[in-house]
Amino acid sequence: MALSFIKRVFTFGDKPVEDQAAHPAPDRAADAAAVQAELEPKSRDEDLPLAADPVAAVEIETAGGPSGDVVEAVEEEPAAILPGVEETSDLGVVPLSLLEAEAAAETARVEGADLPPSALPGISPSGGEITDVPASTPFAESAKGDEAPAQDVVSALRQDVSNDSISPPEGEMTGRTEEGGSTPAETSGEPTNAPSESEGVSPATPVLPKGFSTAKPEAEPVAVVAPAKLTWFQRLRAGLARTSSQLTGQISALFTKRKLDEQTLEELEDLLIQADLGVETAMRITDTLSSERYGKDVTGEDVSRIMSAEITKVLTPVAKPLQLDLDHKPHVILVVGVNGTGKTTTIGKLAAKLSGSGLKVMLAAGDTFRAAAIEQLKIWADRTGSQFIGTKLGADAAGLAYDAFEQARANKSDVLIIDTAGRLQNRTELMAELEKIVRVLNKLDPDAPHTVLQTLDATTGQNAMNQVEIFRNVAGVSGLIMTKLDGTARGGILVAIAAKHKLPVYFIGVGEGVDDLEPFEAKDFAHAIAGLTH
Ligand SMILES: Nc1nc2c(ncn2[C@@H]2O[C@H](COP(=O)(O)OP(=O)(O)OP(=O)(O)O)[C@@H](O)[C@H]2O)c(=O)[nH]1
């Protein structure tokens, strides 16, 4: 029922229905033959029947259902932070310590294990309403950040999955503890005059007759300070704090006791360009400032507000939900990008959102270069109740993409997400491989891949612009996801990319956990860069 509801509320993709009619279903036999010819004979014949190798085998697993025990709630444990330590500066800029303080003031919430039905945050284009997915299994403790060796990430994921698989639902857990565990009274050997368990009182808390008291004073209840959990916006602001505090600090220094004139405008423009915002946006900001306040006193806060407003204008047109065209079964999402930009992790997060909404999702391990990457994706598939298809290490990625598409069609999957090996944009042979994947998918369905997502690492500066240019040309990137905005991000470049390429930005990654993917919000991002409070 949830599925049919989702299908009804979806506005289908860019192409109107008539367009789809204009592309009748391709002659599958002819296409298959053509694609077969495209792929090297060895890639299909030698790579696929690999039952002996657990990773190598084309592995199809039945979806474990949209949510259920897929995601186990594990609370992140950021360091305890004392609230209310620092003041907001006169710029309205929030120091990092205040962000942390705000977070400590919030009661830590223990997130539920189940993914909710019918929630497609940032994905459904139908109403534009964004709902949170409360599922959370942060990896913050187990994964080790960018530098963590892939094997570590996989072990962390493995650990997580094995925890998931052995953890019964809450009620059962309680039952098991009661059955198998022993109470202090049972194990101590001390006599107790407490009523038996069958009398309905826990033997762990002996009830003395009237007129008696225990010798030991009752223990003071230990105050449990709930660990503070930053909201996603606080994480975003913290991630962009370096950019924003540097920028706002320089701006307020620039305007101390100076009126707005040609020279200050020029210096301001330089500062904005140095923050990666791009020439176009820098000029927008200085033009607006000049038209409003030329010859007058200007405060840092004036500049921050104008900067935030102008950045919002640049970003609003690209802050779009990811459109799924469920007329295509499957809607194929190809995920591309430079090594380590977060492709596999982002796929896991997307799969959690989609399968949690009742959609049938298949993940294809098209990164055939790294065994760990294949395993990593397999684990994400297990966690999110998605189907999985992989092939052996070093196999032809286009061949895998072909098989995945066929399999997803046969299974009537709603969405197929294909991971690809990370590659530097200047490695021509690898970029040619990517082109081939696109070509093969395109032969099976002229509209496929229906979405080509590129992940960008927010800690990268100007190079991200170059990455978009090249991946766009080679793979036809149709939308972006910026990851690692929770770290020490340099998010300014996203503004320059938006101004130049106008590609949709669907989500931002604000952590390594399954729910650390948020729909992109222009105003939030602009505020965070300008260092403004929400
Ligand atoms: N802090 C943070 N870490 C992230 C985020 N997204 C991914 N990571 C981490 O970045 C590292 C690389 O992520 P992967 O998903 O393996 O990146 P990839 O692009 O698939 O890597 P390759 O397969 O080598 O190309 C891992 O340690 C992830 O946990 C994010 O939004 N925030």
Side-chain angles (χ1 to χ4, degrees), residues 139 143-148 150 153 337-346 349 367 370 373 376 380 419-423 455 457 482-487 508-513 516-517:
F139 291 155
K144 306 207 173 45
D146 294 358
E147 286 78 30
V153 177
V338 164
N339 319 46
T341 48
K343 292 179 291 299
T344 311
T345 309
T346 301
K349 294 171 181 177
D367 181 350
R370 281 198 309 126
Q376 198 182 335
W380 274 113
D419 195 7
T420 59
R423 63 204 76 215
T455 49
D457 180 336
M482 184 163 254
T483 63
K484 307 187 193 179
L485 272 160
D486 53 309
I508 54 172
V510 286
E512 295 172 289
D516 293 333
L517 189 71

Side-chain angles (χ1 to χ4, degrees), residues 169-187:
E170 221 173 290
E172 283 172 46
M173 177 67 98
T174 313
R176 205 170 67 172
T177 309
E178 282 167 358
E179 274 167 39
S182 51
T183 66
E186 282 167 334
T187 51

Side-chain angles (χ1 to χ4, degrees), residues 26-41 44 402 406 409 439-440 443-444:
D27 179 336
R28 302 280 304 283
D31 284 343
V35 173
Q36 196 73 25
E38 171 81 20
L39 302 169
E40 298 96 346
R44 307 266 302 112
Y402 176 94
E406 290 282 88
R409 258 182 180 161
R439 223 166 35 235
V440 164
K443 281 185 179 164
L444 287 171

